[in-house]
Structure formats: structure tokens, C-alpha cells
């Protein structure tokens, strides 16, 4: 019997040079956990549980995992939970992105190395879902993504609060002197008050919607609030769906295809979703040899309307999105733009799913395709001599009056430089300048943090300036907003053109032409390049994971994945 046909505990044996002994030993050790012989004969659904005391978004996983187990048992399988790395967004230094690939490797290898016939992946916080999808795509065992679900909102006086757009909104007011110290401290305790992921259409919510659109999560489950009883029912159903896939396997490679990735891009654009999601989707698709290009994203963006009125772009929160109809309602609005023959973990096609009665849809939250919030998608890729391999702008969260503009560069050459000088009253800057941050890309010491949302210098914010053009090779939180150009590739710390920008240079932005140009002659740029030196510590002078990361991480346009995790091309 091939290893693929062997089920349950006898899969993937530990090698002692005697197969029967390996089975005997494994059964004997498993018995020590109190399983009966009958149970040990069952096929196994692994449950990758990314619960951690360092991850507030996953604090309800102990309850959720019990519901997954119930579903697996109802489906005739044996549920076995195992831990993986967890990535709690605000608890990781220098930035969670650096550990996404590590979590994906943990997930892939533990799914492959341990005896399971299918797996439920429990994730939620920003990098955990992409990491699990990347790992599942590479392991290619039947897998169901179960997300944590979003937090509920809270209140401060008459204000409705939800992490983390309101965290930034109030912090901006505090910096501008509009909110006092006592008030900001009170608000701190009310921004995030339940289990679950950030309450707006940030990265976690965007990735949850993408997982559902790809077909890796059960229909209707992305937006269920973390604390809603439906979330427990979704967990039970996910366990059951994974158990069903033991006998009727549908592998991630059958679900994540060029067509479903294109559907996911449409969803990202219709949501006005997080810029991070383009990096993550590129990485997930890359694990199956599918390329996501910013050029293609621009083509889709031109024909995909923004429909979802959620913060940080609009007014509402994830719980409103759930009650308004969630992912299914958005999919129905953009149905003519979708590939309907893609598969889902429920064993049906997207077309089958969209045949069902949509139920109530609140069009204040999810606009009709005929009356969209914006005619074009929320993200746009920009190209030019400043970003030969592209950069990303979330136009739906930006100030349109800044879209066609030439400005003088005010350059910060690192995060430290930014922190030291941005609030200096003597900083030579006006609201019409372009703030430029260098050396914050994937190979920099800071590891591409969410620092692209450069703070407006105090001398300008105190005059009421709320937005300026800001350019960097960093990322920004999905919960942030502003005219912020991100993911410039190649990055400054490998000598990309961003490294060559100097104070006083003119930069021309044209969203209409999808371009970002440094108005400096080629000769001058060549001269600057010949004088440029990297500040990066070379990989061979580092150790451990930091060394691996520095050597292997790819640029933003390739998903910041490791080259060695890409599939090996089939021989001709
Ligand atoms: Fe976990 Fe925002 S901190 S999703």
C-alpha cells in the first residue's frame, strides 16, 4: 500500500528499519494517552492550533478547538490537536512578517511529518493565516482554514471603537494635541476588548475573506465574530469538512489555482482590503507556482469596484459586515467577474455556492455593483524609475487631491533617523513635500515593518495637516490610511533606486498613469549608485534564523517568501 492510501496512525512511520515494529511502538505509545484500540484505528484529522499567551487575537482557541474536535468526531475521524508557532502581531520584534515564513515551515513540516489524513488550520492574526495557507499549499494534504473571527467593537462615550483604525485615529489626535493624556489612557483600555482579530478590514480580516474566496475556508465563515456562537458552529463544521475530505480528498493544489487566485484578487480589490494581502497572496500562490503580478492586479483593479464600506476606508466594522451578508454578499455582487468553476473545501464549486439564497444583505455596508463606493479597485500598482519592480498604493484609503502631484523629497534613511528627526521643530518640511523612508524593506535590519505609515511631522499635524505623500519600501498596517506608497521594489538596502533619493529631489506621482518617477537624470543616478554602499550586515556575519532570512527573503513583488520554499520545477 502506498503511504497515501495508509490512513491514521500507520501513516508516515518513524523509521526503525522494521515497519511492523514502528506501528507496534506507535500504537503502544498512543495507548499511553488513553485512546482505546478502536479509536486508534480511525483516520486522523490534525488540528494545527496557534493558540499562544502572546496572541490576544487567539485567546478563544481553547473553546474553539473543542468545537473542531466535535466536528471531526461527528465526521468519523479522530481529532488530534498539535501546537505550532503563533504570531501575535503586536508582540513580535522587529516585525511579525519576519516570522511568517518560519510559521509556514513549521506548519508544512508538522503536517507532513505527523500521521494525519487531513488538517484544520486554526489561525487569525495577520500573519498566521497566510503562514498556514503557505504551509498547507506546500504540504498539499486536504486542509480547512478556520479563522479566529473579528473582535466586537467597544464604546468610549458616544464613540464606537474598534482596533485598530481607531487606535491610529486617536493617537493622531493625541499627537496633534486634540486629545489629552488622561483621555488617551482611558481609550487604551477600550480599543480591543474581546477575543478575535482587529475589528476593521485590516490584514487579518482581508486574509480571512481571501481564504474563503480561494475556497480554503467554509462558505460564510470569514466574518463571523470571534465571540458569536456561529463561530463555534463554524469550527464544528470545519472539523466535519476535514473529516469528509479523508475519503473524498480535495487538496490545496486543487483549490488554490490561477482562477481562484484571480477571484481572491477581485475580492481584495472589492473590499478595498489591506496592502499586506497582496504580499501574502503572492506568497501563497507562489507555493504552487502561480505568479501574482502587480500588472495583472492593475488590470483587475480597473474593472473591479470597491463595494465594502468598512474602516479604515469607510464607516463600518467587521461585525456589521457579518450581519450585512459577509463574503457571500460581495461575491454575488461581483459574480460576473469571477471564475465560478473553482472548488471549495465544502466539495462544491463557487458557482454552486452562489446559487443558494443569499439571505438578507445590508447595502449600507455592502454596496450594489451598480452603485459602488468607487468604480475601481482599492489598490493600485505603481511603476517607474523609483520602483522598477513596482510599489503599491491603497487609493481607496488615500487623499485623491494628492494623486497627480510633484513634490520635493524629504528623506529619512532609516527608522531611527525618522524617529529622531520627524518631530524636530527645525525639520525643513512643508505639507507639499513627499516624505521618503529608506532601508525598511524585507532585507533591511528592520525586516519590512508596518512603518510605511510615516507620522505627519508634529509641526504640520499641529496645523491640522492629516495627509501627505509618503513613500517607502516598508509595509503599512491594513488598518491605516493615507496617501502612502509602499513595498517599493527593489528595496533601498539592496541598492534599489529608493536608496538613491536625496533631500530636495523632485518626485512625480501619477495615480492615473500608475507611475512614480524620480526626476533625476540617469547620469546622476548612475553616479549616486557608484557611491552607494549597503549598511546591511551580510548574512554570513549573522546566525540562526536571522541569517537564513537575510540570505533568502525575496522582494515584495515575489511575496517576501524564501526562494527554497518554491516548488521544484517539473522536469521536461
Ligand atoms: Fe491580531 Fe490585529 S493584532 S489581527
Amino acid at each position: 500500500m502506498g503511504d497515501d492510501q495508509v490512513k491514521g496512525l500507520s501513516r508516515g512511520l518513524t523509521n526503525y528499519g522494521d515497519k511492523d515494529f514502528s506501528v507496534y511502538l506507535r500504537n503502544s505509545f498512543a495507548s499511553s494517552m488513553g485512546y482505546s484500540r478502536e479509536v486508534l484505528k480511525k483516520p486522523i484529522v490534525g488540528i494545527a492550533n496557534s493558540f499562544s499567551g502572546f496572541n490576544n487575537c487567539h485567546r478563544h482557541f481553547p473553546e474553539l478547538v473543542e468545537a473542531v474536535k466535535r466536528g471531526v468526531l461527528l465526521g468519523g475521524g479522530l481529532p488530534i490537536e498539535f501546537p505550532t508557532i503563533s504570531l501575535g502581531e503586536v508582540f513580535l520584534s522587529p516585525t511579525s512578517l519576519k516570522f511568517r515564513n518560519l510559521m509556514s515551515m513549521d506548519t508544512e513540516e508538522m503536517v507532513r511529518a505527523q500521521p494525519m489524513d487531513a488538517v484544520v488550520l486554526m489561525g487569525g492574526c495577520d500573519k498566521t493565516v497566510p503562514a498556514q495557507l503557505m504551509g498547507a499549499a506546500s504540504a498539499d494534504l486536504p486542509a480547512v482554514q478556520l479563522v479566529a473571527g473579528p473582535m466586537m467593537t467597544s464604546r468610549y462615550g458616544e464613540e464606537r471603537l474598534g482596533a485598530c483604525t481607531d487606535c491610529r485615529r486617536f493617537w493622531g489626535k493625541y499627537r496633534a494635541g486634540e486629545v489629552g493624556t488622561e483621555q488617551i489612557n482611558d481609550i487604551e483600555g477600550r480599543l480591543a476588548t474581546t477575543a478575535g482579530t482587529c475589528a476593521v478590514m485590516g490584514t487579518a480580516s482581508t486574509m480571512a475573506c481571501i481564504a474563503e474566496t480561494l475556497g480554503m475556508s467554509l462558505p460564510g465563515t470569514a466574518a463571523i465574530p470571534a465571540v458569536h456562537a456561529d463561530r463555534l458552529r463554524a469550527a464544528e463544521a470545519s472539523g466535519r469538512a476535514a473529516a469528509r475530505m479523508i475519503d473524498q480528498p480535495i487538496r490545496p493544489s486543487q483549490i488554490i489555482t490561477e482562477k481562484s487566485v484571480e477571484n481572491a484578487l477581485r475580492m481584495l480589490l472589492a473590499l478595498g482590503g489591506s496592502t499586506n494581502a497582496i504580499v501574502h497572496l503572492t506568497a501563497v500562490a507562489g507555493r504552487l507556482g502561480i505568479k501574482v503580478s502587480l500588472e495583472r492586479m492593475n488590470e483587475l483593479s480597473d474593472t473591479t469596484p470597491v463595494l465594502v464600506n468598512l474602516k479604515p476606508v469607510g464607516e463600518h466594522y467587521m461585525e456589521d459586515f457579518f450581519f450585512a451578508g459577509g463574503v457571500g454578499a460581495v461575491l454575488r455582487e461581483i459574480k460576473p467577474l469571477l471564475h465560478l468553476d473553482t472548488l471549495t473545501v465544502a466539495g462544491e464549486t463557487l458557482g454552486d455556492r452562489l446559487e443558494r439564497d443569499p439571505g438578507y444583505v445590508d447595502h449600507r455596508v455592502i454596496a450594489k455593483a451598480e452603485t459602488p463606493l468607487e468604480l475601481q479597485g482599492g489598490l493600485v500598482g505603481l511603476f517607474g524609475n523609483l520602483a522598477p519592480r513596482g510599489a503599491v498604493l491603497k487609493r481607496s484609503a488615500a487623499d485623491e487631491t494628492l494623486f497627480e502631484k510633484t513634490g520635493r523629497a524629504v528623506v529619512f534613511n532609516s527608522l531611527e533617523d525618522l524617529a529622531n528627526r520627524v518631530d524636530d521643530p527645525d525639520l525643513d518640511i512643508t505639507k507639499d513635500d513627499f516624505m521618503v523612508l529608506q532601508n525598511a524593506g524585507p532585507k533591511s535590519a528592520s525586516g519590512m515593518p508596518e512603518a510605511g505609515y510615516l507620522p505627519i511631522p508634529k509641526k504640520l499635524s499641529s496645523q491640522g495637516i492629516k495627509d501627505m505623500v509618503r513613500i517607502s519600501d516598508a509595509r503599512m498596517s491594513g488598518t491605516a490610511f493615507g496617501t502612502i506608497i509602499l513595498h517599493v521594489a527593489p528595496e533601498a538596502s539592496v541598492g534599489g533606486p529608493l536608496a538613491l533619493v536625496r533631500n530636495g529631489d523632485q518626485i512625480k506621482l501619477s495615480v492615473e498613469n500608475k507611475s512614480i518617477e524620480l526626476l533625476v537624470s540617469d547620469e546622476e543616478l548612475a553616479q549616486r549608485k557608484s557611491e552607494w554602499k549597503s549598511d546591511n550586515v551580510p548574512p554570513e556575519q549573522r546566525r540562526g534564523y536571522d541569517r537564513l532570512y537575510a540570505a533568502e527573503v525575496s522582494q515584495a513583488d515575489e511575496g517576501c517568501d524564501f526562494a527554497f520554499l518554491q516548488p521544484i520545477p517539473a522536469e521536461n
Side-chain angles (χ1 to χ4, degrees), residues 117-185:
D117 302 289
V119 62
V120 176
L121 307 160
M122 294 178 61
C125 195
D126 287 18
K127 309 303 176 295
T128 58
V129 169
Q132 291 182 327
L133 291 175
M134 290 159 76
S138 295
D140 210 22
L141 190 80
V144 180
Q145 180 74 58
L146 173 66
V147 299
M151 288 181 207
M152 301 297 282
T153 54
S154 171
R155 291 285 188 281
Y156 179 72
E158 290 176 4
E159 295 261 11
R160 195 175 174 201
L161 297 182
C164 221
T165 303
D166 295 321
C167 319
R168 289 169 209 286
R169 184 163 64 91
F170 277 98
W171 192 252
K173 286 187 178 194
Y174 174 62
R175 277 179 56 81
E178 294 166 30
V179 162
T181 306
E182 201 179 318
Q183 211 183 348
I184 197 79
N185 287 340

Side-chain angles (χ1 to χ4, degrees), residues 55-57 89-90 124-126 196-198 204:
N55 195 334
N56 59 294
C57 301
E89 187 61 23
V90 301
C125 195
D126 287 18
T197 49
C198 285

Side-chain angles (χ1 to χ4, degrees), residues 321-336:
F321 181 60
F322 169 62
F323 292 113
V327 168
V330 180
L331 289 171
R332 272 179 204 96
E333 291 298 330
I334 57 171
K335 188 174 170 186

Side-chain angles (χ1 to χ4, degrees), residues 545-564:
Y545 181 68
D546 186 45
R547 177 174 181 151
L548 179 74
Y549 197 85
E552 294 288 341
V553 69
S554 64
Q555 293 293 290
D557 62 328
E558 294 169 335
C560 301
D561 201 1
F562 295 155
F564 67 87

